[in-house]
Amino acid sequence: MDVFKDKNVFITGAASGIGRSFALALADLEMNLFITDINMENLENVKKELEEKNVIVYASKCDVCNYKEFEEVSKDFHEKLGDIDLLINNAGIAIVGSIDNIILEDWKKVLDVNLWSIVHSIKAFLPNMLKRGSGHIVNIASGAGIFGSVEPLPYITSKFGVVGLTEALFARLKKRGINVSVIAPTYIKTDIFKLESEKIAYSPKLLDDHKKEKIDEIYREIFEEIMKSAMSPDRAIKKYIRGIKKNQLYIFDVIATSQILAMKGNNPQQYEDFLVMYQKNREELIKKHFLQHGINIEDYIESY
Ligand SMILES: NC(=O)c1ccc[n+]([C@@H]2O[C@H](COP(=O)([O-])OP(=O)(O)OC[C@H]3O[C@@H](n4cnc5c(N)ncnc54)[C@H](O)[C@@H]3O)[C@@H](O)[C@H]2O)c1
């Protein structure tokens, strides 16, 4: 996709973080925007920011887990703006948990928001693109969809699904005039790491022995340390838009992601060692923070 001016874009999860920054950057490129989220208060604020840029903008609730909402909102999109040129499937969540305490509801929720959302979105919007033989679909995955990293297991599983789905769509849609990209962000400073209780499934025994406020405080410190080296969303979006302009299948924001991908193919032993070392480093970081508060986390959780 090389021309953005006066073209129409639909974005999910646009009330915050990467989705919000995408909307602002695409407004600067004079696109017409249709932004959606479940957090309507934040979404209205983003709409106001966009209106200050004198672009056409509509904001609507769309829970990406619910196909009915997608169907209605896509109908509204076509009535208000016409054809869809750029579809950004961005909404996503992470819930921290442990392999020792698998919570099925959390897995379901994460797979619904991160993976089923894209199936819903494609079902709602692809027919219009196919009819015209043009358009660009951008799915936001994660570095956690490229290698089995230290992020929560349901999150990684969902993001590998997003990467696989996008890759499989690439050739199928290319010959029909539609471009497909997957963005694999590393750490970007957004609210995804803001501590909210529903984002962490604490070990029940840990909660029996210690005050929840104290555990929250420790996790807040851990998230802060992880995000210290994170990139600002605005800086990341510039890289993502460059990738969209080039119609790239894979869009990375740091060279390390492509190096890890290459290592996986070229040197499997090195890749296995890397996975073990990466996990060990993360577990040590978590252990260090708990120890600073007098808790040996290994008494409660063995693997994160
Ligand atoms: N921030 C990072 O470090 C990072 C890294 C890799 C991938 N990502 C991915 O980037 C995307 C955007 O995340 P972010 O970092 O901007 O997080 P964020 O929490 O700032 O924004 C996510 C947005 O999605 C919305 N949302 C959540 N559930 C929804 C639902 N059911 N329906 C509609 N909207 C919903 C939230 O309300 C929020 O506005 C996600 O897919 C995330 O997995 C982020």
Side-chain angles (χ1 to χ4, degrees):
M1 177 166 186
D2 46 5
V3 179
F4 292 76
K5 189 173 183 308
D6 298 327
K7 298 282 180 75
N8 303 326
V9 57
F10 181 92
I11 309 176
T12 66
S16 159
I18 292 173
R20 170 184 165 273
S21 288
F22 244 127
L24 291 166
L26 294 173
D28 289 338
L29 294 174
E30 299 177 69
M31 288 197 87
N32 308 317
L33 300 112
F34 200 114
I35 56 169
T36 62
D37 206 289
I38 43 170
N39 185 332
M40 289 313 289
E41 196 184 328
N42 285 358
L43 193 70
E44 283 304 324
N45 290 335
V46 176
K47 182 170 181 254
K48 281 190 201 122
E49 288 184 273
L50 292 166
E51 280 165 347
E52 281 166 21
K53 292 177 180 281
N54 289 320
V55 288
I56 297 172
V57 51
Y58 297 98
S60 188
K61 177 176 175 286
C62 178
D63 178 345
V64 292
C65 304
N66 183 337
Y67 178 65
K68 269 259 155 289
E69 289 192 21
F70 252 114
E71 211 174 20
E72 279 160 25
V73 95
S74 64
K75 200 163 156 261
D76 197 26
F77 176 97
H78 293 309
E79 278 169 12
K80 291 198 161 85
L81 290 177
D83 293 329
I84 179 148
D85 300 297
L86 180 60
L87 172 62
I88 301 186
N89 293 313
N90 163 74
I93 57 165
I95 303 177
V96 177
S98 148
I99 185 73
D100 301 303
N101 180 29
I102 290 179
I103 298 179
L104 296 180
E105 293 75 22
D106 288 352
W107 274 78
K108 188 169 180 328
K109 176 86 187 154
V110 171
L111 287 166
D112 274 353
V113 178
N114 295 0
L115 184 56
W116 270 102
S117 59
I118 297 185
V119 182
H120 293 157
S121 175
I122 290 169
K123 182 169 164 62
F125 281 105
L126 191 56
N128 176 269
M129 289 187 178
L130 286 174
K131 203 171 66 194
R132 293 153 42 229
S134 74
H136 197 135
I137 300 169
V138 174
N139 297 327
I140 313 291
S142 168
I146 302 291
F147 66 104
S149 77
V150 294
E151 307 315 327
L153 291 169
Y155 186 79
I156 295 174
T157 307
S158 70
K159 295 299 186 179
F160 264 79
V162 174
V163 170
L165 173 61
T166 316
E167 202 169 291
L169 284 173
F170 183 78
R172 286 171 173 82
L173 294 181
K174 190 97 186 155
K175 63 171 192 181
R176 300 174 76 175
I178 298 158
N179 291 303
V180 183
S181 301
V182 61
I183 295 177
T186 43
Y187 287 121
I188 313 295
K189 282 196 173 75
T190 71
D191 285 350
I192 204 161
F193 279 98
K194 201 167 93 187
L195 188 105
E196 287 159 21
S197 291
E198 71 268 22
K199 289 184 182 171
I200 304 184
Y202 291 133
S203 134
K205 188 168 177 295
L206 185 64
L207 282 173
D208 279 348
D209 290 359
H210 301 280
K211 282 210 171 71
K212 186 176 168 304
E213 294 71 33
K214 183 172 176 178
I215 310 168
D216 279 348
E217 182 53 34
I218 300 171
Y219 266 104
R220 202 169 288 117
E221 285 174 15
I222 292 167
F223 287 169
E224 269 169 25
E225 181 156 349
I226 293 169
M227 293 310 273
K228 252 190 214 156
S229 56
M231 199 182 288
S232 79
D234 291 347
R235 182 159 167 243
I237 296 301
K238 286 201 182 95
K239 294 172 186 250
Y240 303 157
I241 289 180
R242 271 204 296 277
I244 295 172
K245 279 185 181 160
K246 290 186 197 158
N247 296 325
Q248 277 173 222
L249 168 58
Y250 279 105
I251 303 176
F252 300 138
D253 48 29
V254 294
I255 188 83
T257 316
S258 37
Q259 287 168 339
I260 294 166
L261 196 55
M263 192 205 301
K264 201 194 286 205
N266 294 337
N267 195 337
Q269 180 61 58
Q270 190 187 6
Y271 180 65
E272 288 168 18
D273 294 345
F274 162 78
L275 289 181
V276 172
M277 184 264 310
Y278 202 69
Q279 179 68 22
K280 187 166 169 265
N281 287 350
R282 174 58 60 89
E283 289 184 4
E284 275 171 6
L285 179 129
I286 293 171
K287 193 173 155 192
K288 177 190 85 181
H289 279 277
F290 272 93
L291 276 178
Q292 281 165 359
H293 291 263
I295 301 172
N296 182 2
I297 191 65
E298 286 180 343
D299 292 342
Y300 302 95
I301 300 168
E302 291 196 22
S303 317
Y304 305 88

